Every structure is written in C-alpha cells, then in structure tokens.
Amino acid sequence: MVLPARKISTVEELLETFPDIRDLLIDDEKAWNRIVSGFRVLVEHAIGGVKRFGIVSDKFHNRKNGFDDKVMVISCGLWNYHLKFC
C-alpha cells in the first residue's frame, strides 16, 4: 500500500506518466510572483535597514514643516552609505 513516487519536473515526464491527459493548464503567474517577491524582499530589507535609525521607526513629535521628509532622506542616505562602504 505505497503510493508511487511522482516527482515530475517537466511537461514531457508528465505526459509520459499520464498519457490520457488531453488538456493541461500551467500557472503562468508563478514566474511573475517569483519576480515580484524577489523585489519585495529587497524593499523589505531596505525598509528594515532604514528603521535601524530610531528617529524613523519611533513616533515623530517634531512639528517643523518638511522636517519629517528631511529625516527620511538623511536616514535613507545613511543606510545607502552603509550598504556601499561598510
């Protein structure tokens, strides 16, 4: 009572194993999802790196106009410097 091993890696192997198949649907989105997830990982790591600076991850209490954008630009620049030279 053991199931046969079915490690099929190509369409040709599938057709040899199951010759009665008439229609075959392949998930084309799988390749696209891998590409998107690869970029997502890079973005998440970049966000995590910038959040190492406490001023970006903590609640920001400064009320100066435009200062929050300057803080983010400086933090991103420091993180890019770290990636390039450290």
Side-chain angles (χ1 to χ4, degrees):
M1 303 313 268
V2 177
L3 293 174
R6 291 187 184 156
K7 223 170 197 180
I8 299 171
S9 58
T10 63
V11 175
E12 290 79 20
E13 290 178 16
L14 177 73
L15 294 176
E16 288 176 10
T17 307
F18 302 102
D20 297 335
I21 292 179
R22 286 188 269 150
D23 297 323
L24 178 64
L25 298 175
I26 298 175
D27 185 12
D28 293 331
E29 290 184 19
K30 189 177 247 185
W32 176 251
N33 287 339
R34 285 184 189 226
I35 293 169
V36 170
S37 68
F39 283 117
R40 185 176 294 129
V41 167
L42 293 174
V43 170
E44 291 292 332
H45 286 179
I47 291 170
V50 171
K51 282 187 174 183
R52 289 183 183 185
F53 304 106
I55 195 167
V56 175
S57 60
D58 294 339
K59 187 167 180 157
F60 192 69
H61 295 290
N62 199 320
R63 302 283 187 231
K64 286 186 178 179
N65 192 14
F67 192 71
D68 52 347
D69 291 334
K70 288 180 185 178
V71 166
M72 184 57 80
V73 168
I74 291 169
S75 297
C76 291
L78 287 172
W79 180 245
N80 286 335
Y81 179 82
H82 171 77
L83 290 177
K84 190 170 184 178
F85 295 109
C86 293

